[in-house]
Amino acid sequence: MSTPELTLFYDGQCPFCAAEMKRLRSWNKSGKLGFVDISLPHFDVTSVGVTMEALNRELHSLTVDGKLLVGIDSMLAAYTLVNRSWLVFPLRIKPLRPLLSTLYRQFARNRYRFSALLGYKPIPRCENDVCRHTGNPFFDK
């Protein structure tokens, strides 16, 4: 398989994030996108060149030529590569970008709460047939 044009680094324990990556995967017929779950124990943060804190703050992606995209730039690039740029069209409107970027960062910072409010179920982490939830107290009530 060829190298993807864009690799997305996402939080696979975030129910909303995981659902969005699943949707992007379903549209990724040409293999232009790669997906890396930063919540997996074997994930190596040094492969991205930023801190784990930065990756947890907002979506990051890496282009095939090594350019790091963050936040709404990652989303715009990903949706464009799977021919769904119309879904994120407002991200292309320059006067809206600062507002949308701020709103995105707020969402990303509270993604577990928003996931619950939107009806997404917590994702269990299973090892050796033993499953537990994320450890996020918001979900583990």
Side-chain angles (χ1 to χ4, degrees), residues 90-110:
L91 301 180
R92 293 188 184 279
I93 302 170
K94 288 192 191 247
L96 291 179
R97 286 181 61 82
L99 172 64
L100 294 174
S101 186
T102 298
L103 291 172
Y104 166 76
R105 282 193 297 276
Q106 291 294 322
F107 181 89
R109 189 174 302 130
N110 296 289

Side-chain angles (χ1 to χ4, degrees), residues 48-123:
V48 188
V50 297
T51 65
M52 195 64 180
E53 291 80 17
L55 289 175
N56 273 312
R57 259 193 310 274
E58 52 192 319
L59 180 66
H60 285 63
S61 61
L62 196 59
T63 65
V64 70
D65 61 354
K67 183 177 178 186
L68 188 66
L69 303 177
V70 180
I72 64 173
D73 292 327
S74 290
M75 293 170 45
L76 183 57
Y79 279 79
T80 299
L81 285 170
V82 295
N83 298 314
R84 298 292 193 287
S85 60
W86 56 272
L87 289 171
V88 291
F89 176 76
L91 301 180
R92 293 188 184 279
I93 302 170
K94 288 192 191 247
L96 291 179
R97 286 181 61 82
L99 172 64
L100 294 174
S101 186
T102 298
L103 291 172
Y104 166 76
R105 282 193 297 276
Q106 291 294 322
F107 181 89
R109 189 174 302 130
N110 296 289
R111 64 190 178 269
Y112 286 90
R113 282 194 173 86
F114 281 117
S115 291
L117 290 172
L118 293 170
Y120 291 96
K121 302 290 184 218
I123 299 170

